[in-house]
């Protein structure tokens, strides 16, 4: 949800991130979530029929980022679906897709090939995530909720630690909704 807040701020300014992935999500010791690295971001220009520059990380890139149509906020929604799946399973949906319950339905909708079949705004995705969290809390004991939260935090931490290039750039962070420009990759 904190990543959705950061993306909603970025989208409201007319930009999309185009490279949402574990390496670009940091969790501070205070448990704040920070979205970094705007190197692949672009201004949304509705008059264009396709992107003029193909950029982003292939495993997280929506089909439209490969030049078929133009990218828009639904491009970031596609990447969010992959990120949520990885948080739950540790894998890209092409390897193992989480299909259970409301989170499975959310991931499936986020990662539809056609942007028209995805959530149409990051706010709409955030609302579905809020609903899923509320539904999960209703059917779970307080003790089990605490265990689930601890497991979720651990999975996020392990995913970020094991992801290639997940080192800190040393820049100071900002509270979410936080967007921070990362250093260029020198590889």
């Amino acid at each position: 949800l904190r990543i959705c807040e950061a993306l909603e701020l970025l989208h409201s300014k007319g930009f999309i991130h185009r490279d949402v992935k574990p390496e670009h999500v940091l969790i501070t010791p205070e448990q704040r979530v920070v979205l970094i690295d705007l190197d692949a971001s672009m201004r949304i220009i509705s008059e264009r029929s396709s992107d003029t520059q193909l950029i982003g990380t292939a495993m997280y890139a929506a089909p439209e980022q490969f030049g078929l149509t133009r990218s828009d906020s639904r491009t970031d929604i596609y990447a969010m679906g992959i990120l949520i799946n990885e948080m739950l399973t540790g894998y890209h949906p092409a390897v193992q897709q989480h299909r259970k319950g409301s989170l499975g339905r959310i991931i499936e909708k986020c990662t539809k090939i056609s942007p028209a079949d995805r959530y149409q705004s990051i706010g709409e995705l955030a609302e579905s995530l809020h609903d899923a969290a509320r539904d999960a809390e209703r059917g779970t004991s307080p003790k089990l909720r605490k265990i689930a939260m601890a497991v979720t935090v651990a999975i996020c931490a392990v995913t970020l630690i094991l992801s290639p290039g997940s080192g800190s750039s040393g820049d100071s962070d900002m509270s979410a909704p936080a967007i921070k420009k990362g250093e260029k990759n020198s590889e």
Side-chain angles (χ1 to χ4, degrees), residues 151-183:
V151 168
T152 301
V153 169
I155 289 171
C156 290
V158 168
T159 301
L160 290 171
I161 290 168
L162 296 179
S163 296
S166 63
S168 173
S169 66
D171 291 345
S172 63
D173 63 332
M174 298 167 27
S175 296
I179 304 168
K180 194 167 101 176
K181 180 142 173 86
E183 295 178 356

PDB file of all heavy atoms in Angstrom, residues 151-183:
ATOM      1  N   VAL A 151       5.746 -12.851   9.139  1.00  0.00           N
ATOM      2  CA  VAL A 151       6.165 -13.622   7.971  1.00  0.00           C
ATOM      3  C   VAL A 151       6.245 -12.718   6.741  1.00  0.00           C
ATOM      4  O   VAL A 151       7.201 -12.795   5.958  1.00  0.00           O
ATOM      5  CB  VAL A 151       5.202 -14.810   7.726  1.00  0.00           C
ATOM      6  CG1 VAL A 151       5.441 -15.442   6.372  1.00  0.00           C
ATOM      7  CG2 VAL A 151       5.342 -15.831   8.839  1.00  0.00           C
ATOM      8  N   THR A 152       5.281 -11.820   6.561  1.00  0.00           N
ATOM      9  CA  THR A 152       5.290 -10.896   5.429  1.00  0.00           C
ATOM     10  C   THR A 152       6.520 -10.004   5.459  1.00  0.00           C
ATOM     11  O   THR A 152       7.195  -9.831   4.449  1.00  0.00           O
ATOM     12  CB  THR A 152       4.008 -10.034   5.426  1.00  0.00           C
ATOM     13  OG1 THR A 152       2.880 -10.905   5.349  1.00  0.00           O
ATOM     14  CG2 THR A 152       3.992  -9.083   4.250  1.00  0.00           C
ATOM     15  N   VAL A 153       6.831  -9.439   6.603  1.00  0.00           N
ATOM     16  CA  VAL A 153       8.012  -8.590   6.735  1.00  0.00           C
ATOM     17  C   VAL A 153       9.266  -9.400   6.433  1.00  0.00           C
ATOM     18  O   VAL A 153      10.161  -8.934   5.721  1.00  0.00           O
ATOM     19  CB  VAL A 153       8.073  -7.948   8.140  1.00  0.00           C
ATOM     20  CG1 VAL A 153       9.419  -7.280   8.377  1.00  0.00           C
ATOM     21  CG2 VAL A 153       6.949  -6.935   8.306  1.00  0.00           C
ATOM     22  N   ALA A 154       9.334 -10.629   6.930  1.00  0.00           N
ATOM     23  CA  ALA A 154      10.507 -11.474   6.684  1.00  0.00           C
ATOM     24  C   ALA A 154      10.653 -11.798   5.205  1.00  0.00           C
ATOM     25  O   ALA A 154      11.755 -11.750   4.655  1.00  0.00           O
ATOM     26  CB  ALA A 154      10.406 -12.753   7.509  1.00  0.00           C
ATOM     27  N   ILE A 155       9.547 -12.113   4.546  1.00  0.00           N
ATOM     28  CA  ILE A 155       9.589 -12.419   3.112  1.00  0.00           C
ATOM     29  C   ILE A 155      10.075 -11.209   2.330  1.00  0.00           C
ATOM     30  O   ILE A 155      10.915 -11.326   1.435  1.00  0.00           O
ATOM     31  CB  ILE A 155       8.209 -12.896   2.597  1.00  0.00           C
ATOM     32  CG1 ILE A 155       7.909 -14.287   3.138  1.00  0.00           C
ATOM     33  CG2 ILE A 155       8.162 -12.894   1.066  1.00  0.00           C
ATOM     34  CD1 ILE A 155       6.504 -14.765   2.885  1.00  0.00           C
ATOM     35  N   CYS A 156       9.548 -10.027   2.659  1.00  0.00           N
ATOM     36  CA  CYS A 156       9.982  -8.802   1.980  1.00  0.00           C
ATOM     37  C   CYS A 156      11.476  -8.584   2.174  1.00  0.00           C
ATOM     38  O   CYS A 156      12.198  -8.281   1.225  1.00  0.00           O
ATOM     39  CB  CYS A 156       9.219  -7.588   2.506  1.00  0.00           C
ATOM     40  SG  CYS A 156       7.494  -7.564   2.042  1.00  0.00           S
ATOM     41  N   ALA A 157      11.946  -8.755   3.396  1.00  0.00           N
ATOM     42  CA  ALA A 157      13.359  -8.540   3.688  1.00  0.00           C
ATOM     43  C   ALA A 157      14.226  -9.532   2.930  1.00  0.00           C
ATOM     44  O   ALA A 157      15.225  -9.155   2.314  1.00  0.00           O
ATOM     45  CB  ALA A 157      13.608  -8.632   5.191  1.00  0.00           C
ATOM     46  N   VAL A 158      13.846 -10.799   2.935  1.00  0.00           N
ATOM     47  CA  VAL A 158      14.626 -11.821   2.240  1.00  0.00           C
ATOM     48  C   VAL A 158      14.614 -11.563   0.734  1.00  0.00           C
ATOM     49  O   VAL A 158      15.647 -11.652   0.074  1.00  0.00           O
ATOM     50  CB  VAL A 158      14.097 -13.236   2.569  1.00  0.00           C
ATOM     51  CG1 VAL A 158      14.691 -14.282   1.646  1.00  0.00           C
ATOM     52  CG2 VAL A 158      14.386 -13.579   4.020  1.00  0.00           C
ATOM     53  N   THR A 159      13.444 -11.209   0.179  1.00  0.00           N
ATOM     54  CA  THR A 159      13.350 -10.916  -1.246  1.00  0.00           C
ATOM     55  C   THR A 159      14.270  -9.765  -1.613  1.00  0.00           C
ATOM     56  O   THR A 159      14.988  -9.826  -2.609  1.00  0.00           O
ATOM     57  CB  THR A 159      11.891 -10.588  -1.637  1.00  0.00           C
ATOM     58  OG1 THR A 159      11.070 -11.702  -1.315  1.00  0.00           O
ATOM     59  CG2 THR A 159      11.784 -10.291  -3.120  1.00  0.00           C
ATOM     60  N   LEU A 160      14.263  -8.724  -0.821  1.00  0.00           N
ATOM     61  CA  LEU A 160      15.118  -7.572  -1.107  1.00  0.00           C
ATOM     62  C   LEU A 160      16.591  -7.917  -0.953  1.00  0.00           C
ATOM     63  O   LEU A 160      17.425  -7.487  -1.745  1.00  0.00           O
ATOM     64  CB  LEU A 160      14.752  -6.406  -0.196  1.00  0.00           C
ATOM     65  CG  LEU A 160      13.405  -5.760  -0.504  1.00  0.00           C
ATOM     66  CD1 LEU A 160      13.048  -4.764   0.578  1.00  0.00           C
ATOM     67  CD2 LEU A 160      13.415  -5.106  -1.865  1.00  0.00           C
ATOM     68  N   ILE A 161      16.937  -8.707   0.060  1.00  0.00           N
ATOM     69  CA  ILE A 161      18.334  -9.074   0.290  1.00  0.00           C
ATOM     70  C   ILE A 161      18.851  -9.970  -0.823  1.00  0.00           C
ATOM     71  O   ILE A 161      19.968  -9.811  -1.296  1.00  0.00           O
ATOM     72  CB  ILE A 161      18.492  -9.763   1.664  1.00  0.00           C
ATOM     73  CG1 ILE A 161      18.284  -8.735   2.782  1.00  0.00           C
ATOM     74  CG2 ILE A 161      19.859 -10.423   1.792  1.00  0.00           C
ATOM     75  CD1 ILE A 161      18.130  -9.350   4.163  1.00  0.00           C
ATOM     76  N   LEU A 162      18.025 -10.923  -1.273  1.00  0.00           N
ATOM     77  CA  LEU A 162      18.462 -11.886  -2.274  1.00  0.00           C
ATOM     78  C   LEU A 162      18.356 -11.376  -3.701  1.00  0.00           C
ATOM     79  O   LEU A 162      18.908 -11.982  -4.607  1.00  0.00           O
ATOM     80  CB  LEU A 162      17.664 -13.187  -2.144  1.00  0.00           C
ATOM     81  CG  LEU A 162      17.859 -13.939  -0.830  1.00  0.00           C
ATOM     82  CD1 LEU A 162      16.997 -15.189  -0.822  1.00  0.00           C
ATOM     83  CD2 LEU A 162      19.319 -14.293  -0.615  1.00  0.00           C
ATOM     84  N   SER A 163      17.662 -10.254  -3.918  1.00  0.00           N
ATOM     85  CA  SER A 163      17.516  -9.712  -5.257  1.00  0.00           C
ATOM     86  C   SER A 163      18.845  -9.157  -5.728  1.00  0.00           C
ATOM     87  O   SER A 163      19.546  -8.498  -4.975  1.00  0.00           O
ATOM     88  CB  SER A 163      16.468  -8.595  -5.272  1.00  0.00           C
ATOM     89  OG  SER A 163      15.228  -9.125  -4.944  1.00  0.00           O
ATOM     90  N   PRO A 164      19.202  -9.416  -6.998  1.00  0.00           N
ATOM     91  CA  PRO A 164      20.458  -8.878  -7.518  1.00  0.00           C
ATOM     92  C   PRO A 164      20.460  -7.355  -7.444  1.00  0.00           C
ATOM     93  O   PRO A 164      19.457  -6.715  -7.720  1.00  0.00           O
ATOM     94  CB  PRO A 164      20.485  -9.335  -8.975  1.00  0.00           C
ATOM     95  CG  PRO A 164      19.440 -10.382  -9.089  1.00  0.00           C
ATOM     96  CD  PRO A 164      18.484 -10.186  -7.968  1.00  0.00           C
ATOM     97  N   GLY A 165      21.573  -6.773  -7.059  1.00  0.00           N
ATOM     98  CA  GLY A 165      21.712  -5.314  -7.022  1.00  0.00           C
ATOM     99  C   GLY A 165      20.926  -4.662  -5.916  1.00  0.00           C
ATOM    100  O   GLY A 165      20.511  -3.531  -6.047  1.00  0.00           O
ATOM    101  N   SER A 166      20.684  -5.359  -4.810  1.00  0.00           N
ATOM    102  CA  SER A 166      19.826  -4.794  -3.772  1.00  0.00           C
ATOM    103  C   SER A 166      20.580  -3.980  -2.737  1.00  0.00           C
ATOM    104  O   SER A 166      20.055  -3.681  -1.692  1.00  0.00           O
ATOM    105  CB  SER A 166      19.050  -5.915  -3.068  1.00  0.00           C
ATOM    106  OG  SER A 166      19.953  -6.789  -2.426  1.00  0.00           O
ATOM    107  N   GLY A 167      21.805  -3.593  -3.030  1.00  0.00           N
ATOM    108  CA  GLY A 167      22.569  -2.795  -2.076  1.00  0.00           C
ATOM    109  C   GLY A 167      22.030  -1.391  -1.966  1.00  0.00           C
ATOM    110  O   GLY A 167      21.363  -0.880  -2.848  1.00  0.00           O
ATOM    111  N   SER A 168      22.335  -0.720  -0.862  1.00  0.00           N
ATOM    112  CA  SER A 168      21.901   0.655  -0.639  1.00  0.00           C
ATOM    113  C   SER A 168      22.826   1.603  -1.366  1.00  0.00           C
ATOM    114  O   SER A 168      24.019   1.396  -1.444  1.00  0.00           O
ATOM    115  CB  SER A 168      21.920   0.962   0.854  1.00  0.00           C
ATOM    116  OG  SER A 168      21.658   2.319   1.067  1.00  0.00           O
ATOM    117  N   SER A 169      22.274   2.658  -1.936  1.00  0.00           N
ATOM    118  CA  SER A 169      23.085   3.626  -2.664  1.00  0.00           C
ATOM    119  C   SER A 169      23.713   4.641  -1.737  1.00  0.00           C
ATOM    120  O   SER A 169      24.505   5.452  -2.163  1.00  0.00           O
ATOM    121  CB  SER A 169      22.221   4.350  -3.706  1.00  0.00           C
ATOM    122  OG  SER A 169      21.255   5.130  -3.055  1.00  0.00           O
ATOM    123  N   GLY A 170      23.327   4.631  -0.472  1.00  0.00           N
ATOM    124  CA  GLY A 170      23.890   5.558   0.492  1.00  0.00           C
ATOM    125  C   GLY A 170      23.168   6.890   0.539  1.00  0.00           C
ATOM    126  O   GLY A 170      23.494   7.741   1.336  1.00  0.00           O
ATOM    127  N   ASP A 171      22.192   7.099  -0.341  1.00  0.00           N
ATOM    128  CA  ASP A 171      21.427   8.337  -0.312  1.00  0.00           C
ATOM    129  C   ASP A 171      20.509   8.346   0.891  1.00  0.00           C
ATOM    130  O   ASP A 171      20.110   7.295   1.387  1.00  0.00           O
ATOM    131  CB  ASP A 171      20.547   8.462  -1.566  1.00  0.00           C
ATOM    132  CG  ASP A 171      21.378   8.695  -2.819  1.00  0.00           C
ATOM    133  OD1 ASP A 171      22.569   9.044  -2.714  1.00  0.00           O
ATOM    134  OD2 ASP A 171      20.810   8.521  -3.890  1.00  0.00           O
ATOM    135  N   SER A 172      20.150   9.521   1.375  1.00  0.00           N
ATOM    136  CA  SER A 172      19.174   9.577   2.465  1.00  0.00           C
ATOM    137  C   SER A 172      17.812   9.220   1.911  1.00  0.00           C
ATOM    138  O   SER A 172      17.526   9.446   0.752  1.00  0.00           O
ATOM    139  CB  SER A 172      19.162  10.976   3.081  1.00  0.00           C
ATOM    140  OG  SER A 172      18.753  11.913   2.119  1.00  0.00           O
ATOM    141  N   ASP A 173      16.945   8.667   2.749  1.00  0.00           N
ATOM    142  CA  ASP A 173      15.632   8.252   2.283  1.00  0.00           C
ATOM    143  C   ASP A 173      14.570   9.241   2.722  1.00  0.00           C
ATOM    144  O   ASP A 173      14.800  10.111   3.525  1.00  0.00           O
ATOM    145  CB  ASP A 173      15.300   6.849   2.784  1.00  0.00           C
ATOM    146  CG  ASP A 173      15.230   6.805   4.290  1.00  0.00           C
ATOM    147  OD1 ASP A 173      15.905   7.604   4.957  1.00  0.00           O
ATOM    148  OD2 ASP A 173      14.487   5.978   4.779  1.00  0.00           O
ATOM    149  N   MET A 174      13.390   9.096   2.139  1.00  0.00           N
ATOM    150  CA  MET A 174      12.258   9.948   2.453  1.00  0.00           C
ATOM    151  C   MET A 174      11.103   9.047   2.831  1.00  0.00           C
ATOM    152  O   MET A 174      10.995   7.936   2.358  1.00  0.00           O
ATOM    153  CB  MET A 174      11.882  10.789   1.228  1.00  0.00           C
ATOM    154  CG  MET A 174      13.001  11.707   0.800  1.00  0.00           C
ATOM    155  SD  MET A 174      12.794  12.468  -0.830  1.00  0.00           S
ATOM    156  CE  MET A 174      11.074  12.553  -1.092  1.00  0.00           C
ATOM    157  N   SER A 175      10.217   9.528   3.686  1.00  0.00           N
ATOM    158  CA  SER A 175       9.043   8.739   4.060  1.00  0.00           C
ATOM    159  C   SER A 175       8.120   8.601   2.875  1.00  0.00           C
ATOM    160  O   SER A 175       8.017   9.477   2.051  1.00  0.00           O
ATOM    161  CB  SER A 175       8.276   9.441   5.186  1.00  0.00           C
ATOM    162  OG  SER A 175       9.066   9.502   6.327  1.00  0.00           O
ATOM    163  N   ALA A 176       7.417   7.469   2.795  1.00  0.00           N
ATOM    164  CA  ALA A 176       6.441   7.279   1.745  1.00  0.00           C
ATOM    165  C   ALA A 176       5.261   8.191   2.022  1.00  0.00           C
ATOM    166  O   ALA A 176       4.940   8.436   3.168  1.00  0.00           O
ATOM    167  CB  ALA A 176       6.007   5.819   1.687  1.00  0.00           C
ATOM    168  N   PRO A 177       4.576   8.760   1.041  1.00  0.00           N
ATOM    169  CA  PRO A 177       4.934   8.423  -0.306  1.00  0.00           C
ATOM    170  C   PRO A 177       6.272   9.053  -0.674  1.00  0.00           C
ATOM    171  O   PRO A 177       6.392  10.256  -0.709  1.00  0.00           O
ATOM    172  CB  PRO A 177       3.803   8.981  -1.154  1.00  0.00           C
ATOM    173  CG  PRO A 177       3.145   9.988  -0.301  1.00  0.00           C
ATOM    174  CD  PRO A 177       3.451   9.643   1.130  1.00  0.00           C
ATOM    175  N   ALA A 178       7.244   8.177  -0.864  1.00  0.00           N
ATOM    176  CA  ALA A 178       8.609   8.646  -1.105  1.00  0.00           C
ATOM    177  C   ALA A 178       9.065   8.208  -2.465  1.00  0.00           C
ATOM    178  O   ALA A 178       8.896   7.064  -2.840  1.00  0.00           O
ATOM    179  CB  ALA A 178       9.536   8.104  -0.027  1.00  0.00           C
ATOM    180  N   ILE A 179       9.627   9.105  -3.155  1.00  0.00           N
ATOM    181  CA  ILE A 179      10.176   8.829  -4.469  1.00  0.00           C
ATOM    182  C   ILE A 179      11.566   9.436  -4.458  1.00  0.00           C
ATOM    183  O   ILE A 179      11.723  10.597  -4.109  1.00  0.00           O
ATOM    184  CB  ILE A 179       9.304   9.442  -5.574  1.00  0.00           C
ATOM    185  CG1 ILE A 179       7.875   8.927  -5.435  1.00  0.00           C
ATOM    186  CG2 ILE A 179       9.889   9.138  -6.937  1.00  0.00           C
ATOM    187  CD1 ILE A 179       6.884   9.662  -6.257  1.00  0.00           C
ATOM    188  N   LYS A 180      12.540   8.655  -4.826  1.00  0.00           N
ATOM    189  CA  LYS A 180      13.899   9.136  -4.737  1.00  0.00           C
ATOM    190  C   LYS A 180      14.650   8.742  -5.992  1.00  0.00           C
ATOM    191  O   LYS A 180      14.549   7.621  -6.446  1.00  0.00           O
ATOM    192  CB  LYS A 180      14.532   8.506  -3.498  1.00  0.00           C
ATOM    193  CG  LYS A 180      15.801   9.133  -3.066  1.00  0.00           C
ATOM    194  CD  LYS A 180      16.136   8.646  -1.684  1.00  0.00           C
ATOM    195  CE  LYS A 180      17.171   7.594  -1.756  1.00  0.00           C
ATOM    196  NZ  LYS A 180      17.622   7.131  -0.468  1.00  0.00           N
ATOM    197  N   LYS A 181      15.427   9.628  -6.548  1.00  0.00           N
ATOM    198  CA  LYS A 181      16.222   9.325  -7.717  1.00  0.00           C
ATOM    199  C   LYS A 181      17.453   8.576  -7.268  1.00  0.00           C
ATOM    200  O   LYS A 181      18.185   9.027  -6.415  1.00  0.00           O
ATOM    201  CB  LYS A 181      16.628  10.610  -8.425  1.00  0.00           C
ATOM    202  CG  LYS A 181      17.471  10.350  -9.655  1.00  0.00           C
ATOM    203  CD  LYS A 181      17.092  11.310 -10.730  1.00  0.00           C
ATOM    204  CE  LYS A 181      18.015  11.195 -11.912  1.00  0.00           C
ATOM    205  NZ  LYS A 181      17.669  10.215 -12.855  1.00  0.00           N
ATOM    206  N   GLY A 182      17.654   7.381  -7.825  1.00  0.00           N
ATOM    207  CA  GLY A 182      18.813   6.565  -7.471  1.00  0.00           C
ATOM    208  C   GLY A 182      20.001   6.893  -8.352  1.00  0.00           C
ATOM    209  O   GLY A 182      19.900   7.615  -9.340  1.00  0.00           O
ATOM    210  N   GLU A 183      21.117   6.345  -8.002  1.00  0.00           N
ATOM    211  CA  GLU A 183      22.326   6.538  -8.785  1.00  0.00           C
ATOM    212  C   GLU A 183      22.236   5.696 -10.050  1.00  0.00           C
ATOM    213  O   GLU A 183      21.629   4.647 -10.073  1.00  0.00           O
ATOM    214  CB  GLU A 183      23.544   6.114  -7.978  1.00  0.00           C
ATOM    215  CG  GLU A 183      23.768   6.992  -6.761  1.00  0.00           C
ATOM    216  CD  GLU A 183      24.959   6.510  -5.938  1.00  0.00           C
ATOM    217  OE1 GLU A 183      25.554   5.468  -6.276  1.00  0.00           O
ATOM    218  OE2 GLU A 183      25.268   7.193  -4.964  1.00  0.00           O
TER     219      GLU A 183
END
